[in-house]
Amino acid sequence: MNNRTALYTLMTVWFFWGFIAASNGILIPMFKETFNLLQWQSQLVDFAFYAAYFVGSILYFLVSAALKGDILNRIGYRQGIMYGFIISAIGTLLFIPAASLQSFPLLLAGLFVVGLGFSLQQTSTQPFMIALGDPATGAQRINLGGAVNNLGTTIGPVLISYVIFGSVGEAAAKGVGIEAVKIPFLVIGVIFLLFAVFFRFSKLPTITNDEEVEIGTGVLKYPQLVLGMIAIFCYVGAEVTIGSNLGEYLKITQNLDSSQISEYISLFWGSMMMGRWTAALANFKFKPGIKILLTIVTPFLAFGVVLFVNALRGSDVSPLFTYALCVLVMIAAYFASQEKPIRTMLLYSLLGGAAMLIGIFTTGKIALFAFISGGLFCSVLWPCIFSLATAGLGKYTNQGSAYLIMMILGGAVIPVIQGSLSDVPSIGIKLSYIVPLACFAYLFFFGARVQTILKHQGLDFDRDVALKAGH
């Protein structure tokens, strides 16, 4: 199997990460209705899933340290992906007894195990993709994986909603219960097992990690890394909590049940795709005029994908057309950022915070689309944070990257915080969006502060530094 075929194979792994993660937005309101949960309790769905990434990373490094060698250096990236799929398959299959027993804790356990498998897959897949060619172009290959990941986040909510509820509005008539999750997750589990078998017997190249595993706190002497860890925590938390609390917002303000929200959940995650597909253009050498044209066309192409997949399910997508105005704002911001990390960090976090304020202080579709547009302004912040936080770390770069990955924990904690606030009668779901507003405020602070720190260290990240979009 040549490297190009191997790359396309690995890109399918990214699809599953996005497919399952975004589908949580459909499960959260469904579980809340079925188990009569408070909003903060429903957010334990995200807590279970994203906490698994943190726990998986800790276990990986601790076991590697105990064995005095990198686990992946012993088994290889291909085997690591295989074991990750097996672990995730076990998690999906736990949904069957959990649904039969009507057990919310067991359903959470299933999601946690799925997340553990994804953690191992992610640890294996990203360096594998870099190793398939020139390391200097590794970011471009990861960008392709990110593009496929965003396609999964767009399709996942729509397809899972269709399998569970059928066409739009049928849920009440059909009396859909929690047992409806059995078939889709059984199918997903079987697919995971088939992929595990494929990776076991495939002719993918056997590649190992030759770097030493270092567990320590030496890297924490760099203030850009410490501030960056908090920034990753806030970024992932904002991204996840906006989408995960959207179902409750739609129920309260639009009177929609869990069978009727997929187009809005899909639009939120599709907004991430719009931004990332646009930012990925920086990795290709286009003539200036062509690049300007593609920068305008690409996000609308991604918007078209969102509309198309929802129309296939039978949703009326015409109410979504107005969202094109938000896409235009994102395009203008992208041109203004000039593909520079600090400028992008400041501008996009400022717009994200402004969107949350507009959502809080307005009503109707304006408020709804303002909250959803948080996805547009989250979309390219990951690579900005990562590049700024690891700048100047030298020999500590790998250790710093590991600390940053662990801060995906924000996706577990922050949705629960927002859910807890929304349960307070004097606050409610709408005002609870002050939580992602606070996250965007910190991200703006990070951009301003890290610029000063790096300049003091002799680094200037506003000198023609192109974004490397990913995640």
Side-chain angles (χ1 to χ4, degrees), residues 248-306:
E248 179 67 6
Y249 178 81
L250 289 166
K251 177 182 177 181
I252 298 299
T253 65
Q254 308 289 321
N255 197 30
L256 301 179
D257 65 30
S258 56
S259 72
Q260 300 169 308
I261 65 172
S262 64
E263 58 261 42
Y264 297 104
I265 301 296
S266 176
L267 180 60
F268 171 76
W269 291 104
S271 296
M272 305 287 290
M273 178 172 66
M274 296 170 208
R276 289 172 180 170
W277 281 17
T278 304
L281 296 173
N283 295 289
F284 303 95
K285 295 180 180 179
F286 297 110
K287 293 181 180 180
I290 298 297
K291 186 174 182 180
I292 291 174
L293 178 61
L294 288 175
T295 300
I296 297 171
V297 171
T298 299
F300 282 106
L301 177 62
F303 186 32
V305 172
V306 175

Side-chain angles (χ1 to χ4, degrees), residues 132-463:
L132 288 175
D134 183 355
T137 59
Q140 294 182 14
R141 292 187 288 280
I142 290 179
N143 286 339
L144 292 175
V148 174
N149 175 270
N150 289 135
L151 185 61
T153 62
T154 301
I155 294 175
V158 178
L159 186 56
I160 290 294
S161 182
Y162 180 79
V163 173
I164 292 176
F165 300 114
S167 60
V168 178
E170 288 185 2
K174 291 170 59 178
V176 171
I178 198 65
E179 293 201 0
V181 304
K182 286 183 178 180
I183 297 302
F185 280 89
L186 174 62
V187 172
I188 292 171
V190 170
I191 292 173
F192 283 169
L193 289 175
L194 290 175
F195 266 91
V197 172
F198 171 80
F199 275 92
R200 171 63 179 84
F201 295 104
S202 74
K203 295 182 180 180
L204 284 169
T206 300
I207 300 175
T208 58
N209 177 13
D210 297 324
E211 294 181 354
E212 293 292 329
V213 174
E214 184 179 356
I215 304 288
T217 58
V219 72
L220 298 181
K221 67 183 179 182
Y222 292 92
Q224 64 264 41
L225 187 278
V226 176
L227 293 173
M229 290 170 63
I230 302 173
I232 288 290
F233 185 91
C234 290
Y235 158 73
V236 178
E239 172 187 307
V240 175
T241 199
I242 292 172
S244 293
N245 283 282
L246 193 58
E248 179 67 6
Y249 178 81
L250 289 166
K251 177 182 177 181
I252 298 299
T253 65
Q254 308 289 321
N255 197 30
L256 301 179
D257 65 30
S258 56
S259 72
Q260 300 169 308
I261 65 172
S262 64
E263 58 261 42
Y264 297 104
I265 301 296
S266 176
L267 180 60
F268 171 76
W269 291 104
S271 296
M272 305 287 290
M273 178 172 66
M274 296 170 208
R276 289 172 180 170
W277 281 17
T278 304
L281 296 173
N283 295 289
F284 303 95
K285 295 180 180 179
F286 297 110
K287 293 181 180 180
I290 298 297
K291 186 174 182 180
I292 291 174
L293 178 61
L294 288 175
T295 300
I296 297 171
V297 171
T298 299
F300 282 106
L301 177 62
F303 186 32
V305 172
V306 175
L307 297 177
F308 177 71
V309 296
N310 280 286
L312 281 181
R313 191 205 166 195
S315 299
D316 177 11
V317 297
S318 59
L320 306 183
F321 293 165
T322 310
Y323 192 71
L325 296 175
C326 298
V327 180
L328 286 174
V329 173
M330 187 275 293
I331 294 172
Y334 189 78
F335 280 119
S337 71
Q338 299 179 358
E339 298 177 354
K340 296 178 179 180
I342 289 176
R343 186 174 296 189
T344 301
M345 194 81 226
L346 294 172
L347 186 55
Y348 273 62
S349 58
L350 181 64
L351 288 171
M356 296 304 102
L357 284 172
I358 292 172
I360 290 171
F361 289 108
T362 60
T363 59
K365 285 293 191 291
I366 293 177
L368 175 59
F369 286 156
F371 287 140
I372 291 176
S373 71
L376 290 172
F377 305 119
C378 279
S379 61
V380 297
L381 292 185
W382 172 278
C384 296
I385 298 168
F386 217 92
S387 61
L388 294 170
T390 56
L393 299 190
K395 67 178 181 179
Y396 293 106
T397 299
N398 289 337
Q399 186 182 133
S401 297
Y403 275 104
L404 290 172
I405 292 295
M406 289 179 186
M407 289 299 101
I408 289 177
L409 181 66
V413 175
I414 290 179
V416 176
I417 294 175
Q418 181 175 354
S420 298
L421 282 179
S422 74
D423 286 327
V424 178
S426 60
I427 296 177
I429 186 62
K430 188 176 185 181
L431 190 55
S432 74
Y433 274 84
I434 59 174
V435 173
L437 170 61
C439 291
F440 281 119
Y442 177 81
L443 293 173
F444 183 86
F445 163 78
F446 169 73
R449 180 63 182 145
V450 78
Q451 182 177 30
T452 302
I453 291 170
L454 294 179
K455 282 185 176 180
H456 284 166
Q457 296 176 4
L459 298 171
D460 186 356
F461 260 70
D462 261 348
R463 293 179 307 172

